[in-house]
Amino acid sequence: MLPELSIVIPARDSAATIARAVADALRLAADVVVVDTGSSDDTAALAAAAGARVVDLAREASFAAARNAGAAAARGAWLLHLDSDETLAPGYLPVLQRAIAAGDFEVHELPQGNLRADGQRALVTQRRLYRNHAGFR
């Protein structure tokens, strides 16, 4: 587990996936923040029961507003953003540990595998890991 890492998970009506996402995130980070953007289901309660801190936002909140609210509430020096239906590959903790230990970057792109509607897998990179600094919001 990385005590200097906070994982921020924006969520809306994610009751089916949020507990698994939080449990997976807690394997990696000491601080997990779920930002609920007006769910009509039990997303917030399930996230809290799974061990996340929950920030409530209005339903109209954009993804960017949710991400920024989570970053403001985060305690770690580094932030990783995940979606409410995402998990990281089991072997990814050493990759994060090396990146954070090196600390020679402000923003780090992570590989992401997506399963497309046609059943094919696509590998993309996204900027997901960065220093917890207001200038990056």
Side-chain angles (χ1 to χ4, degrees):
M1 183 182 316
L2 297 167
E4 64 273 24
L5 177 66
S6 290
I7 296 179
V8 175
I9 305 173
R12 180 184 296 155
D13 296 330
S14 301
T17 58
I18 195 65
R20 187 186 89 194
V22 169
D24 188 62
L26 284 169
R27 288 186 310 105
L28 303 171
D31 184 39
V32 175
V33 179
V34 171
V35 182
D36 184 55
T37 58
S39 293
S40 60
D41 63 12
D42 292 334
T43 296
L46 291 168
R53 290 185 301 118
V54 177
V55 174
D56 290 313
L57 286 185
R59 185 171 243 329
E60 304 81 40
S62 67
F63 176 79
R67 184 184 60 217
N68 291 342
R75 297 177 179 142
W78 293 91
L79 299 176
L80 175 66
H81 288 283
L82 295 177
D83 292 340
S84 61
D85 61 351
E86 278 184 312
T87 59
L88 289 174
Y92 214 78
L93 181 58
V95 174
L96 290 173
Q97 287 172 319
R98 284 191 301 274
I100 289 172
D104 58 353
F105 63 91
E106 300 295 324
V107 179
H108 185 65
E109 289 187 347
L110 300 176
Q112 176 181 334
N114 290 330
L115 183 61
R116 298 186 329 210
D118 63 5
Q120 298 294 314
R121 293 194 180 271
L123 184 63
V124 298
T125 58
Q126 290 190 343
R127 294 178 178 161
R128 297 276 191 106
L129 177 65
Y130 58 95
R131 290 185 192 275
N132 188 359
H133 184 281
F136 293 122
R137 297 189 190 124

